[in-house]
Amino acid sequence: DPPPLSALGDFQTLPLEIFQMVLNYLSVKDISMLSMVSKTISGRLINYISTSSGSRRLLLQDFHRPELPGRREGASILEHYRALGLLLKRCTLLLPTRDRLKYVHKVLAGVSCFKLNGCASPLHCLGLQCYGVFLQILTAGWDELECHRVFNFLWELSNLARKVQRAVFPGSARRLELRIRLFCRGVLLSPGSHRSDSAFWLTRILKPWPMVNQARLLYIIFGPVSSRDGHVVWQKMIEGPTDETSLKGLADAIKLLYGTEAREWTADDVISLVDELSVVPQEWLMENNARLLLLSGNSICFTFLASKAVNGRAVELARLLVFMALVCEKDLYCMDWAVKMMQKVCKVFSTPWERNNFLQCLENTFAHMLMDMLQAVLAGERDEEDSSFLNLFHLVNAQANFHKEILYMALGSSSST
């Protein structure tokens, strides 16, 4: 009979030093494939990763190149850590989750840019993004209980609970806000993650806190930031009308939590969160509320408006719909969307009197807003952009186009009958 093959195969004849020298000629992907050959080889690879030469080879730390992440240099280091995540996933395949996390932490502990406060220039660093893609590959396919352990491990390791408590008082810790934002977006909510994964991690981040802190934390992570220093701009929604860019991150997060992927969130939870968000740090301009709802999609928008109708808040509902018409006019959305939304909301009212009262409030709101804006123009309240006149111009057109769509709808339905 031939002699039994060693678990190391032909590598059995090589001294350990030569084996590790061979590894230096293999790509990280090839090494991860090699780790699947046998438990013995996997053990040797684990030892190699822990050596100084293996650490230098695998733990690249060139995170501060001036090139943008989308260019070749930035993309290559992200790909490297994606491959490294697969390597450590395969090497630790037989270990319990707790031991896998301890081992991975031991391997990565020396990379300062993977820590929440580890980098002196976080805005120009790819470290947290690399850590994010590494974890994304490492945990892919893990069940929910294992992912809970990963989150708890990272939460305790970074002492995030205490840091979040300090940061949720708007403007009290601007540098810490920035660090939390970058860590959550880069590591836990890694770009390119599946929606179900993003919903899971965002839920883990928000759910431990009361609603007011959830809203503030959501603003820290997804709200508008200064183009100059990257800090959160808390006054953006209060000082004047903002643009879609400033609201898109918040709107996408709301859509994620309202979607089927976020099983732990009810419609009432999301509506309460949006309501709380609209007063962070103080009450938003109504136009910014309306723009956020439009960007959040038809379903959450209708649910939010319907909750106002059910709770008898006709005046507030009317103001929101008028500002939605104004946003449609300013941002070049189809005005028939606002009219159809009004139609759907009218069906929510239980009696004709409630519906007619709402419609009266809607027309009164148009009239009062027009008078207020006209008064501002006549009073000569002008700035460099002549915004008071532009607002009046947009509102007049919004009202005209809104009622034009209603006439088209009414005449179309009457002619069809």
Side-chain angles (χ1 to χ4, degrees), residues 225-239:
V225 294
S226 167
S227 58
R228 180 174 53 85
D229 56 16
H231 289 140
V232 178
V233 184
W234 290 100
Q235 304 300 315
K236 184 84 170 179
M237 307 303 171
I238 302 162
E239 294 176 342

Side-chain angles (χ1 to χ4, degrees), residues 21-45:
M21 287 175 65
V22 171
L23 295 179
N24 289 331
Y25 289 91
L26 299 180
S27 70
V28 180
K29 287 184 179 179
D30 289 338
I31 296 174
S32 73
M33 289 293 292
L34 182 62
S35 71
M36 301 293 287
V37 171
S38 71
K39 184 177 179 180
T40 307
I41 285 185
S42 180
R44 281 209 174 186
L45 293 177

